[in-house]
């Protein structure tokens, strides 16, 4: 009897192995012939699967059973049609940077890995336009255009997907001169939820063109785009920078100066400021902050902006001239920088503002002082990018809802992954920080879609004007009635 039981157990294990292997074999046999020769299939346990699914935040865990590394638009179409025919959910992956909790709601899905569809070239018919493929990273767009003596608005982090950043609106160092990333979209090739591929621009599917620019993750997968680029000339090439390090007793004085810049009637398009709360025990046992001043072009930063900061006796000042990639590196967001490292838990809790509340900032840095050692690498992002051109473009021109806001703030809470207790603590303290920043502003929460945590209301990420959200809901019903693209901040109809 014991021998029979053992044989029976072995048979069941063998049978179970066959049953589990059948879907893999079926997918390989059925899907692979539909793809281009350059496309690849990755299964769990393979290096390719790990590379495609390892995310910026290790606690963001989309449930994927297969990854298709696509190499053409037709590969994207074939994968979507195959997934639909087998009732399998799917998710596009490029930089893997999003942290929205909605990403973890996909189960037993197919990942459409876009990194095999990457590249940048100038349009053969118009050298003020670039053709950017859907899997290209921001850190790849910058040098590719630089070799052509061109530049454009790109994300402030090299390792984010360029297209995915555009779909959420897209902030960048050059937005004061050229507008948001989305404002420079001229046309896009989009694969819809049913696998159909269409061209989207001002005259073709103009309603979807509007929606792509700020809510685009809800409507399709962009395989390529024509994008506005600009000549890189000395007056706009790079930034003169000054990085001031202050102890926290100078917090109110420094941000009072920043508020004066924000309130100026003729705010220079060249001027940007960016601050970070950090822990540096070598300087102080309490959190300190860096205050970065960027001045676009090759000339020095006018002393009207730097002298008041020097007068506050910073711990240190580092002056430099950097190119666009160097601007990202200054905040640790180069491809090999700490802000691009994977493997830790991360959560963000964004809020758009119009000025710095000095008392609220004090509350936030006091909260940072209470963090346990496990959150020691966390930072507070306080982004004062120039908004000159952003404000000139009509608010109705794009789905992006927060054009009138001058500032973007968010804690970037970094901690060891895989600890549920720590996850709960981070969620609690992140909401506490966001509530502190909102206190007394008289405004409802406005949250940047690309930083979204997943706990925000529809109005917070898509706008409070009733017409705007209703238009998006109508478009969602038209282009994605079955909710195929519901795994990143979905529009709820």
């Amino acid at each position: 009897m014991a021998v029979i039981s053992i044989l029976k157990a072995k048979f069941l294990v063998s049978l179970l192995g066959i049953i589990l292997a059948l879907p893999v074999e079926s997918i390989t046999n059925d899907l692979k012939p539909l793809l281009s020769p350059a496309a690849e299939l990755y299964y769990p346990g393979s290096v390719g699967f790990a590379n495609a699914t390892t995310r910026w935040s290790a606690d963001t865990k989309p449930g994927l059973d297969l990854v298709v590394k696509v190499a053409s638009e037709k590969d994207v179409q074939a994968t979507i049609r195959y997934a639909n025919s087998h009732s399998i959910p799917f998710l596009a992956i490029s930089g893997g940077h999003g942290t929205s909790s909605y990403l973890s709601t996909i189960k037993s899905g197919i990942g459409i890995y876009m990194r095999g569809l990457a590249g940048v070239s100038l349009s053969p018919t118009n050298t003020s336009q670039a053709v950017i493929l859907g899997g290209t990273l921001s850190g790849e767009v910058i040098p590719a255009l630089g070799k052509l003596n061109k530049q454009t608005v790109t994300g402030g982090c090299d390792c984010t997907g360029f297209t995915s950043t555009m779909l959420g609106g897209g902030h960048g160092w050059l937005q004061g001169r050229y507008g948001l990333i989305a404002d420079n979209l001229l046309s896009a090739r989009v694969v819809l939820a049913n696998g159909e591929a269409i061209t989207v621009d001002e005259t073709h599917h103009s309603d979807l063109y509007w929606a792509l620019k700020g809510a685009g993750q809800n409507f399709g997968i962009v395989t390529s785009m024509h994008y506005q680029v600009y000549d890189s000339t000395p007056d706009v090439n790079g930034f003169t920078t000054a990085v001031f390090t202050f102890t926290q007793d100078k917090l109110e004085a420094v941000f009072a100066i920043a508020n004066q810049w924000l309130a100026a009637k003729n705010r220079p398009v060249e001027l940007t400021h960016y601050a970070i709360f950090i822990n540096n025990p070598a300087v102080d046992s309490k959190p300190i902050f860096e205050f970065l001043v960027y001045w676009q072009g090759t000339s020095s930063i006018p002393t009207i902006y730097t002298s008041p900061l020097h007068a506050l006796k910073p711990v240190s000042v580092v002056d430099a001239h950097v190119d666009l990639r160097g601007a990202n590196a200054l905040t640790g967001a180069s491809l090999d920088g700490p802000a691009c490292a994977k493997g830790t838990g991360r959560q963000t809790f964004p809020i758009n503002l119009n000025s710095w509340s000095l008392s609220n900032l004090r509350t936030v840095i006091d909260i940072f002082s209470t963090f346990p050692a496990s959150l020691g690498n966390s930072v507070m992002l306080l982004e004062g990018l120039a908004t000159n051109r952003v404000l000139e473009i009509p608010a109705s021109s794009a789905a992006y809802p927060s054009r009138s806001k001058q500032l973007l703030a968010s804690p970037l809470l970094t901690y060891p992954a895989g600890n549920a207790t720590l996850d709960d603590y981070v969620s609690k303290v992140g909401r506490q920080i966001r509530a502190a920043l909102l206190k007394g502003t008289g405004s409802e929460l406005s949250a940047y879609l690309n930083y979204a945590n997943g706990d925000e209301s529809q109005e917070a990420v898509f706008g409070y004007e009733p017409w705007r959200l209703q238009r998006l809901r109508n478009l969602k019903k038209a282009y994605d009635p079955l909710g195929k693209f519901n795994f990143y901040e979905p529009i709820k109809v």
Side-chain angles (χ1 to χ4, degrees):
M1 291 294 294
V3 172
I4 293 173
S5 297
I6 292 171
L7 290 174
K8 185 183 292 185
K10 287 184 176 180
F11 172 75
L12 289 174
V13 169
S14 176
L15 180 61
L16 180 60
I18 292 171
I19 292 171
L20 291 175
L22 279 175
V24 172
E25 183 179 350
S26 174
I27 289 172
T28 301
N29 290 340
D30 296 344
L31 177 56
K32 185 66 174 176
L34 304 176
L35 302 173
S36 68
E40 299 178 44
L41 301 182
Y42 301 141
Y43 295 99
S46 68
V47 173
F49 187 90
N51 289 340
T53 59
T54 300
R55 299 190 63 85
W56 184 62
S57 173
D59 281 337
T60 303
K61 297 179 178 179
L64 302 176
D65 292 343
L66 167 71
V67 167
V68 181
K69 185 178 182 182
V70 295
S72 69
E73 180 177 273
K74 289 184 177 180
D75 288 341
V76 178
Q77 293 180 270
T79 304
I80 288 178
R81 287 170 175 157
Y82 176 87
N84 287 340
S85 68
H86 292 78
S87 300
I88 301 173
F90 52 85
L91 177 72
I93 308 167
S94 54
H97 228 254
T99 60
S100 170
S101 58
Y102 284 102
L103 286 161
S104 297
T105 63
I106 185 171
K107 305 297 180 185
S108 300
I110 294 177
I112 301 176
Y113 190 38
M114 299 295 290
R115 292 291 290 135
L117 192 56
V120 180
S121 60
L122 284 184
S123 166
T125 59
N126 188 337
T127 58
S128 67
Q129 297 181 17
V131 179
I132 302 175
L133 300 185
T136 313
L137 301 182
S138 287
E140 295 168 338
V141 173
I142 295 169
L145 290 179
K147 291 177 182 178
L148 301 169
N149 293 316
K150 299 288 184 180
Q151 64 178 7
T152 194
V153 191
T154 52
C157 183
D158 280 355
C159 50
T160 54
F162 181 81
T163 299
S164 51
T165 302
M166 180 279 295
L167 294 173
H171 291 294
W173 302 112
L174 299 179
Q175 68 175 45
R177 192 173 295 275
Y178 305 129
L180 300 169
I181 296 178
D183 293 330
N184 290 278
L185 176 67
L186 300 171
S187 68
R189 288 287 296 174
V190 182
V191 180
L192 302 176
N194 63 1
E196 180 186 0
I198 62 174
T199 297
V200 176
D201 57 27
E202 286 186 332
T203 57
H204 302 87
H205 302 281
S206 59
D207 53 350
L208 185 55
Y209 176 67
W210 175 87
L212 286 181
K213 299 186 293 182
Q217 295 94 336
N218 271 274
F219 297 101
I221 297 177
V222 174
T223 58
S224 67
M225 70 180 96
H226 278 73
Y227 193 76
Q228 186 73 48
V229 296
Y230 306 88
D231 292 334
S232 183
T233 55
D235 60 316
V236 297
N237 191 19
F239 301 86
T240 301
T241 65
V243 180
F244 294 83
T245 300
F246 290 100
T247 50
Q248 64 170 269
D249 57 300
K250 307 295 175 60
L251 180 72
E252 287 82 0
V254 169
F255 281 89
I257 292 169
N259 278 337
Q260 292 175 9
W261 300 350
L262 294 170
K265 290 184 178 180
N266 297 309
R267 182 179 171 189
V269 68
E270 297 89 351
L271 179 65
T272 279
H273 70 275
Y274 191 109
I276 312 172
F277 293 173
I278 59 173
N279 289 294
N280 187 343
V283 175
D284 198 326
S285 59
K286 300 177 181 179
I288 63 172
F289 67 100
E290 292 182 346
F291 189 85
L292 292 72
V293 182
Y294 288 67
W295 186 267
Q296 189 183 11
T298 56
S299 61
S300 300
I301 304 172
T303 56
I304 189 175
Y305 300 110
T306 54
S307 291
L309 297 171
H310 281 287
L312 295 174
K313 301 187 183 305
V315 174
S316 64
V317 183
V318 178
D319 299 311
H321 188 273
V322 299
D323 59 14
L324 192 51
R325 293 187 77 185
N328 287 353
L330 276 182
T331 62
S334 59
L335 285 173
D336 59 352
C340 282
K342 296 183 177 182
T344 60
R346 287 187 173 97
Q347 291 192 49
T348 51
F349 297 82
I351 178 172
N352 299 307
L353 300 165
N354 271 322
S355 63
W356 301 119
S357 166
L358 307 185
S359 59
N360 290 354
L361 290 176
R362 173 57 60 183
T363 300
V364 170
I365 206 166
D366 286 345
I367 293 172
F368 262 69
S369 299
T370 69
F371 283 177
S374 53
L375 268 72
N377 290 325
S378 299
V379 299
M380 184 70 206
L381 306 176
L382 302 164
E383 305 180 18
L385 303 170
T387 57
N388 303 58
R389 180 60 183 151
V390 177
L391 295 172
E392 291 171 356
I393 296 171
S396 61
S397 67
Y400 178 77
S402 305
R403 195 170 293 275
S404 64
K405 300 293 186 179
Q406 296 200 82
L407 303 168
L408 171 59
S410 178
L412 171 50
L413 303 178
T414 305
Y415 54 98
N419 185 321
T421 301
L422 201 51
D423 283 339
D424 291 342
Y425 171 77
V426 168
S427 295
K428 179 180 178 181
V429 77
R431 294 185 181 97
Q432 184 182 1
I433 289 171
R434 191 161 59 185
L437 288 169
L438 191 60
K439 182 180 178 181
T441 63
S443 299
E444 300 285 349
L445 173 64
S446 170
Y448 181 39
L449 180 64
N450 289 341
Y451 286 9
N453 179 273
D455 67 338
E456 301 88 353
S457 70
Q458 294 278 276
E459 290 80 5
V461 290
F462 297 118
Y464 287 88
E465 306 106 314
W467 70 266
R468 186 183 295 276
L469 192 51
Q470 188 57 53
R471 185 177 183 185
L472 286 171
R473 286 172 174 155
N474 291 340
L475 290 169
K476 184 71 170 177
K477 291 177 185 177
Y479 285 99
D480 186 24
L482 300 179
K484 299 291 185 178
F485 296 107
N486 274 8
F487 301 112
Y488 190 91
E489 298 301 313
I491 296 164
K492 298 173 184 177
V493 297

